[in-house]
Each structure stands twice: as C-alpha cells, then as structure tokens.
Amino acid sequence: MRKLCAVRGAITAENTKESIQVQTVRLLKELIEQNGLRKKDFVSIQFSITKDLDVLNPATALRLGKDDLPYDLSSIPLFCTQEAYIKGGLECVIRVLVTGYFKKPHHLKFIFLDGAKVLRPDIVEQEK
C-alpha cells in the first residue's frame, strides 16, 4: 500500500548555471536511486535556494538536465522559493522536498550531499 509522504535532501553548489544544473540533477538522481522511486510515485518537487544562488532556478536546472536522470521529471509540478536568510547559515545550498505516494515511507532515505551534510549530521551519521 502506498502512502502520501515526502523525502528531503540538500546539496551545495557554486553560483554558476553549470554547477546548479549538475548539482540539482545529482541530488534528484541520488534521491531516486537510494529510495527506489518510480516516476509514477511523484506528486510534486519543491526546491529552495539560498539567496547567493541567483543565476539559475533549480526547477529549470532539472528540466535542462532531464536526460541525465533515470526518467524525465519535467511533467511533475516543480516549484522553487528562496530559503529564509539566517545570519551565519550555510551558503550556496539547494534544498529539495519530494512529495509522492511511496510504498515504504518509513524506509525513505533523506539525502544530504557535499557541504550540505552539516545541515543534518544526525542523518549522515545514520548512513555509516
């Protein structure tokens, strides 16, 4: 039985179109592979970015990089917003929240890559 739930992730990027595209696709690909997600599982994908990433929207990056994913996600509703600014917070971060109908929601793995691992050391430690 599938249940509506969400899985999260984050990754750092440089403020270049290429880096944002590569890192966005890498993050989604890792979420898909680590969780065995199928295209039909997805309901929506929401991104947030820190204010210093201002040259490309991750939703656009995902559509541009669709050929590097296991399947094309550009027909899934995509949304992006700017992350709330927190003084001293980690910079150059792309966060994602994937909502969908998943078979084993309690087994979903949240994915934090590269510099974004410091955002959730509790999750990164569980993976070891």
Side-chain angles (χ1 to χ4, degrees), residues 45-73:
I45 303 172
Q46 298 174 55
F47 293 99
S48 71
I49 54 175
T50 51
K51 70 178 186 173
D52 44 15
L53 296 178
D54 60 5
V55 297
L56 186 65
N57 180 322
T60 302
L62 186 67
R63 287 190 291 271
L64 292 172
K66 65 185 178 184
D67 294 337
D68 296 323
L69 290 166
Y71 39 77
D72 182 0
L73 292 171

Side-chain angles (χ1 to χ4, degrees), residues 38-114:
R38 302 164 302 171
K39 184 175 180 177
K40 70 179 185 176
D41 296 334
F42 287 79
V43 171
S44 66
I45 303 172
Q46 298 174 55
F47 293 99
S48 71
I49 54 175
T50 51
K51 70 178 186 173
D52 44 15
L53 296 178
D54 60 5
V55 297
L56 186 65
N57 180 322
T60 302
L62 186 67
R63 287 190 291 271
L64 292 172
K66 65 185 178 184
D67 294 337
D68 296 323
L69 290 166
Y71 39 77
D72 182 0
L73 292 171
S74 60
S75 64
I76 306 297
L78 304 173
F79 182 80
C80 184
T81 188
Q82 186 174 341
E83 185 74 23
Y85 173 73
I86 304 297
K87 191 173 185 177
L90 186 61
E91 297 178 346
C92 298
V93 179
I94 301 167
R95 291 175 174 84
V96 68
L97 179 68
V98 174
T99 305
Y101 285 95
F102 306 119
K103 285 186 177 182
K104 297 180 180 181
H106 53 284
H107 286 65
L108 291 172
K109 295 179 184 177
F110 292 4
I111 305 297
F112 291 82
L113 301 172
D114 300 342

